[in-house]
Amino acid sequence: GYPRYQVAARLLILVLVMLVCLLPLVPALARHGVVVLARLFRRPFAVGFSGSLAVPFGWVVLSWTLYTLFHTFVALALHWPTSLSSLTALAGITLISWFLGFVSFLTPSGLGVREGIVVLLASPYLSTTDAIVYAVVSRVVLTLLELIVLAGIN
């Protein structure tokens, strides 16, 4: 395994990240964050807080957990290694590829960007063919889920 100091350092980083993520749940801190953003962008933000942000935050955590679990099951079906470090890498690859696809302004829904990043980053863990299958299955299933949700809204 890993030396104890590396495990302790990783746990400390995880706890610090979790604390930063939980700060917006406190309405006073969330209001302060909006004021700071308004000053930074030199635009007024009309955002009101009528209560706790715990419920929306809980939905976000649940959705990202399900998103990552879905990708884990797909990757395991393609013989992704099951060590803790490779599963942690899978979670990182999933989130990094989603984010970079989201911020790519030239393609709708990061089409191609997300898949390319997945194939590139998953190549140490999967064959190129399996990495491509992983990326395509991810895109198709998530697009179908978005269409189902969209159909349910109308």
Side-chain angles (χ1 to χ4, degrees):
Y2 293 104
R4 290 180 193 237
Y5 72 90
Q6 283 185 345
V7 173
R10 288 179 183 189
L11 285 175
L12 178 64
I13 291 170
L14 178 64
V15 168
L16 291 175
V17 168
M18 289 172 61
L19 287 175
V20 169
C21 290
L22 293 175
L23 286 177
L25 294 178
V26 180
L29 291 174
R31 278 190 209 92
H32 181 69
V34 169
V35 169
V36 169
L37 287 174
R39 286 183 187 156
L40 180 69
F41 290 104
R42 297 180 184 164
R43 300 180 72 179
F45 283 25
V47 177
F49 295 98
S50 60
S52 173
L53 297 175
V55 171
F57 183 77
W59 282 111
V60 169
V61 169
L62 176 65
S63 67
W64 275 106
T65 301
L66 293 174
Y67 184 79
T68 304
L69 279 175
F70 160 73
H71 284 87
T72 301
F73 291 135
V74 172
L76 291 176
L78 294 168
H79 309 293
W80 188 279
T82 56
S83 69
L84 181 60
S85 62
S86 65
L87 291 174
T88 304
L90 172 63
I93 291 167
T94 301
L95 300 176
I96 289 168
S97 65
W98 178 89
F99 176 75
L100 293 176
F102 180 77
V103 298
S104 70
F105 298 108
L106 301 176
T107 61
S109 296
L111 187 63
V113 173
R114 191 171 76 195
E115 291 78 10
I117 292 166
V118 166
V119 171
L120 177 72
L121 296 178
S123 61
Y125 304 96
L126 295 173
S127 69
T128 303
T129 304
D130 284 346
I132 291 170
V133 168
Y134 171 74
V136 170
V137 167
S138 167
R139 172 63 73 178
V140 169
V141 170
L142 291 174
T143 300
L144 288 175
L145 289 174
E146 289 172 355
L147 291 173
I148 290 168
V149 169
L150 183 63
I153 291 174
N154 291 331

